[in-house]
Amino acid sequence: MNKMITVIFSLIIFCSCSDLVIPEEENYSIKMADFNEVWEIVDRQYPFLEFKEIDWNAMYEKYEPRIKASQGDEYMNELINLLSELEDGHVGLETKSGYVRTYYMPRELKDKLSYSPELVRSYFDRELVLTGDGHMNYGTIDNMIGYIRIETWSENDRNWAVDIDKAINSLRTTDGLIIDVRHNGGGCTCLSNVVTSRFIDQPLKVPGIIRNGIFYEGDIIQPNKSAPYENDIVLLINGVSFSATEVFARDMKTIDRVTLVGGTTGGGGGAVNYYDLPSQLKVRLTFQNSLRYDLSPIEWNGIEPDIIIEQSETDIVNGRDKQLEFAIEYLKN
Amino acid sequence: MKTFCICLMISLPLLVVGQEDDSSSNSFNLSLASGTVMASVKDQNISSQRYSGTLTPIVFSWGHYRKGYDWDLKISYASGTINNYNVRATLNDFNMTWNYLYPIKDFQLISNRPTSWFGGLSPNLWMYYRKQEIAEPGQFLYSVKIALNMSLSTGLKGSLSNKIGYRISSRFNLISYALSSEVNEGNTGTSTKLSTVFSTPLLESELAMHYQLISWLKMGLGYRFKYYNHESLSLANDSFTVSLSATF
């Protein structure tokens, strides 16, 4: 009996039951179905293959063997690698684990650490006033220069018109206005158009879009002077200003009394959609080409500032927001 | 993505063995163990694939042995990395079990005379936290499960010599009533479910041997297998531990 128990114990020590009771799942058919669906969606919907000179057929040849050779969940990494070939900051893969963005634009990476909201607040004597859910805040510098910070254009239930009118009315007596959309990653142009409408004097016909190879005329933004502001404006932008923010910068640039200061925006010029894959993963993909006023794509090109003021992480660490300082001096003079 | 699961189970074993052999009518036992856990997990909320890996456990137990019954509190924490080929996830597993055990009788088994025990209400709190590394931090999902189980267990323990003892036990649930709650960004779901061993099986088996170093100090080697299956989560562990126990 003693020997029997010792032997049983020794055998069990060297065995592992956990892998036996949790079997591996074979997924060859589903991963190939996902790969083919991703390739076809991009081939069918993505508007920048020609512009970016991407040979999408060659990408199929390149990645099909990799997908076939992958095991288990490895194929998701290969799908991410495939989508990263598009070099598009809007593109990603939605897994059950969360969303994976497949590419970061070079200017975005360059300016990632060159802005600090805490440093900006140090230029104010008083706390900035938050509107609604905090996407917008505003204040005055030296009681002369107004400042509005817009963090995002994400859709929400709030009435953005109320928020922007409140901010503008509060700053109506300032000598100049700084609108800061640095590090604003985008959202809905429906919201950025609300803000644009407050500053244009004439109806603004925006550039059209290209979708599925077809050109569509742009909308007309009507001026809304519910909260008029007639003094000069500086719009601060940088490489992390992306997507809807670039559309906003594009349209604000048409206004004579608006000067864009900072760095060229990220270069993400398109609307996105989610597409289901057979495995219940989703692909987030640009399906629309948004244009600049010269009819070149915003994608990759971005919107250039009127006055280039570059700043780096070192400037921030040293307590200098050079772009904001330039804007203040520019408006004072 | 992070998955966080808390499971509270109360077991009513009919027959369970889990205590070290101690003939003192009133003694305390303090034990610390560590070793390795080989874990296999399939969490359908994250992936249909099996993830396997090794975790490093720390096990602490505190027991009080009386003439009429024994109780002990066992707390274990294990963490490590699990993989599906080159895709990784980190796993944290926490267990807390409180046992009440009542001696029944000893009996003759071949050349041995092991003793048997009856187990009372045994609450078990289990927390499972998983962070997948395929994606950037995004949705946070946690689930809370509270379950009341009626369990059936068997076991025996005895001595191989004056210095060497052994213990074999297993526990599984018959009926459990579970409350589950899962939360991610903007979405909360709560459900309750009455389930049986066929829909929510929980099985734990343990085999341990100890060697008496000195009168109050023992060194032990233990193996424990655990299997759990509830809705989207299947989990199996092989645990190998080395322990030091002090009795006073």
Side-chain angles (χ1 to χ4, degrees):
Chain A
M1 174 68 176
N2 296 350
K3 284 182 185 173
M4 183 172 72
I5 289 179
T6 307
V7 168
I8 291 171
F9 188 83
S10 303
L11 282 174
I12 289 173
I13 288 293
F14 294 103
C15 292
S16 169
C17 304
S18 55
D19 278 357
L20 294 174
V21 298
I22 310 286
E24 271 197 44
E25 194 98 7
E26 192 277 322
N27 68 341
Y28 179 84
S29 55
I30 200 74
K31 71 182 179 186
M32 294 311 297
D34 276 1
F35 166 68
N36 285 311
E37 185 69 12
V38 167
W39 188 91
E40 283 168 17
I41 290 167
V42 172
D43 190 52
R44 190 172 66 239
Q45 298 286 351
Y46 192 64
F48 299 117
L49 289 176
E50 196 176 320
F51 169 66
K52 294 183 179 181
E53 297 179 354
I54 298 173
D55 183 346
W56 198 237
N57 290 325
M59 290 302 159
Y60 188 97
E61 302 302 323
K62 178 179 176 183
Y63 282 92
E64 196 213 18
R66 290 189 188 184
I67 296 283
K68 277 184 177 170
S70 67
Q71 294 176 293
D73 279 346
E74 289 178 339
Y75 88 98
M76 283 194 261
N77 284 326
E78 294 300 337
L79 287 182
I80 291 165
N81 290 336
L82 171 65
L83 291 169
S84 71
E85 299 277 1
L86 301 176
E87 296 186 4
D88 189 324
H90 276 119
V91 173
L93 185 70
E94 179 91 35
T95 71
K96 288 184 184 179
S97 312
Y99 175 71
V100 183
R101 185 174 167 183
T102 57
Y103 184 76
Y104 286 86
M105 314 300 279
R107 288 191 294 273
E108 198 177 356
L109 292 173
K110 176 179 74 68
D111 286 345
K112 187 178 175 186
L113 298 174
S114 64
Y115 168 80
S116 164
E118 289 78 23
L119 179 60
V120 168
R121 281 197 283 275
S122 69
Y123 285 81
F124 294 82
D125 295 327
R126 288 188 282 183
E127 282 292 316
L128 295 170
V129 178
L130 287 176
T131 68
D133 55 7
H135 288 330
M136 202 185 295
N137 51 54
Y138 59 92
T140 55
I141 298 171
D142 300 335
N143 286 321
M144 291 172 58
I145 307 299
Y147 175 89
I148 298 176
R149 160 78 184 151
I150 304 174
E151 277 191 17
T152 177
W153 307 105
S154 293
E155 288 188 70
N156 52 60
D157 295 332
R158 284 198 57 77
N159 187 340
W160 275 60
V162 169
D163 292 337
I164 190 62
D165 288 348
K166 186 177 174 185
I168 294 172
N169 279 328
S170 177
L171 304 171
R172 197 162 1 106
T173 57
T174 55
D175 298 335
L177 179 63
I178 298 170
I179 300 177
D180 190 350
V181 291
R182 294 174 295 175
H183 273 54
N184 180 331
C188 182
T189 53
C190 55
L191 300 175
S192 62
N193 288 348
V194 166
V195 177
T196 303
S197 70
R198 267 50 183 177
F199 300 105
I200 53 175
D201 299 315
Q202 307 289 336
L204 178 66
K205 182 167 168 55
V206 301
I209 54 142
I210 300 175
R211 191 186 299 163
N212 292 327
I214 300 171
F215 177 81
Y216 295 86
E217 289 289 340
D219 294 331
I220 297 175
I221 303 174
Q222 296 292 339
N224 184 317
K225 294 298 183 181
S226 55
Y229 189 89
E230 305 299 339
N231 292 332
D232 289 340
I233 298 168
V234 167
L235 180 65
L236 291 178
I237 56 174
N238 66 6
V240 194
S241 303
F242 195 72
S243 193
T245 306
E246 300 184 84
V247 169
F248 175 68
R250 175 198 71 184
D251 296 337
M252 289 291 282
K253 196 171 181 175
T254 64
I255 304 170
D256 289 336
R257 57 197 172 83
V258 173
T259 305
L260 271 59
V261 171
T264 303
T265 61
V272 297
N273 210 349
Y274 283 87
Y275 300 88
D276 291 330
L277 301 182
S279 66
Q280 298 182 338
L281 300 177
K282 293 180 199 287
V283 171
R284 185 177 193 253
L285 187 71
T286 318
F287 70 96
Q288 176 180 293
N289 179 357
S290 298
L291 301 174
R292 309 193 309 177
Y293 282 91
D294 61 6
L295 298 185
S296 62
I298 293 177
E299 184 76 9
W300 280 10
N301 292 316
I303 304 297
E304 298 95 350
D306 298 307
I307 300 174
I308 297 173
I309 303 289
E310 296 284 359
Q311 70 186 25
S312 65
E313 182 188 1
T314 306
D315 296 319
I316 301 299
V317 168
N318 292 334
R320 292 277 315 279
D321 188 328
K322 296 194 297 188
Q323 292 164 342
L324 179 62
E325 289 173 4
F326 180 89
I328 295 167
E329 289 309 309
Y330 183 84
L331 289 170
K332 279 182 178 176
N333 297 328
Chain B
M1 171 175 175
K2 300 169 188 173
T3 297
F4 188 72
C5 172
I6 301 174
C7 180
L8 177 64
M9 289 176 286
I10 300 174
S11 301
L12 187 66
L14 297 181
L15 186 70
V16 73
V17 174
Q19 296 306 301
E20 296 300 325
D21 183 23
D22 192 288
S23 57
S24 304
S25 61
N26 190 14
S27 64
F28 295 88
N29 179 267
L30 190 65
S31 174
L32 197 61
S34 185
T36 188
V37 176
M38 292 152 71
S40 290
V41 181
K42 191 183 285 186
D43 187 342
Q44 304 279 2
N45 281 327
I46 293 179
S47 169
S48 61
Q49 296 297 303
R50 181 187 75 194
Y51 282 68
S52 303
T54 54
L55 315 178
T56 302
I58 300 285
V59 184
F60 167 80
S61 65
W62 168 252
H64 188 193
Y65 307 140
R66 302 164 182 257
K67 194 162 187 178
Y69 71 93
D70 298 341
W71 67 258
D72 71 32
L73 177 70
K74 182 182 277 189
I75 300 171
S76 69
Y77 172 77
S79 68
T81 302
I82 52 176
N83 300 278
N84 176 259
Y85 299 99
N86 71 0
V87 182
R88 296 191 310 176
T90 54
L91 183 64
N92 296 272
D93 187 299
F94 174 84
N95 245 298
M96 185 165 71
T97 308
W98 196 343
N99 290 305
Y100 280 92
L101 305 165
Y102 301 90
I104 299 177
K105 61 183 286 184
D106 58 356
F107 56 93
Q108 190 68 34
L109 178 66
I110 310 178
S111 59
N112 231 264
R113 197 166 185 85
T115 57
S116 58
W117 298 81
F118 168 80
L121 281 174
S122 296
N124 170 253
L125 175 70
W126 174 56
M127 292 164 61
Y128 158 89
Y129 175 86
R130 170 176 170 166
K131 181 185 171 189
Q132 194 75 355
E133 294 186 6
I134 195 169
E136 296 164 6
Q139 295 176 323
F140 174 72
L141 174 74
Y142 73 84
S143 63
V144 177
K145 292 183 175 68
I146 302 174
L148 179 67
N149 293 333
M150 295 292 290
S151 301
L152 185 67
S153 302
T154 61
L156 52 84
K157 65 177 183 179
S159 300
L160 300 179
S161 70
N162 286 340
K163 294 246 182 210
I164 300 175
Y166 66 89
R167 182 182 73 245
I168 303 172
S169 67
S170 67
R171 173 202 303 265
F172 62 93
N173 63 318
L174 285 178
I175 297 173
S176 62
Y177 182 75
L179 171 74
S180 298
S181 182
E182 295 177 344
V183 174
N184 58 19
E185 286 179 4
N187 188 27
T188 304
T190 303
S191 64
T192 58
K193 190 174 180 179
L194 181 67
S195 53
T196 68
V197 64
F198 301 106
S199 57
T200 307
L202 169 70
L203 167 69
E204 282 186 70
S205 296
E206 187 169 10
L207 172 64
M209 294 181 75
H210 70 258
Y211 180 80
Q212 195 84 33
L213 295 170
I214 51 180
S215 61
W216 57 271
L217 189 67
K218 280 181 280 202
M219 189 183 84
L221 290 175
Y223 166 76
R224 184 163 143 263
F225 173 75
K226 177 180 176 180
Y227 174 74
Y228 177 79
N229 188 317
H230 180 69
E231 294 183 328
S232 61
L233 178 64
S234 297
L235 181 143
N237 287 342
D238 297 288
S239 301
F240 302 90
T241 54
V242 176
S243 64
L244 272 178
S245 301
T247 305
F248 51 91

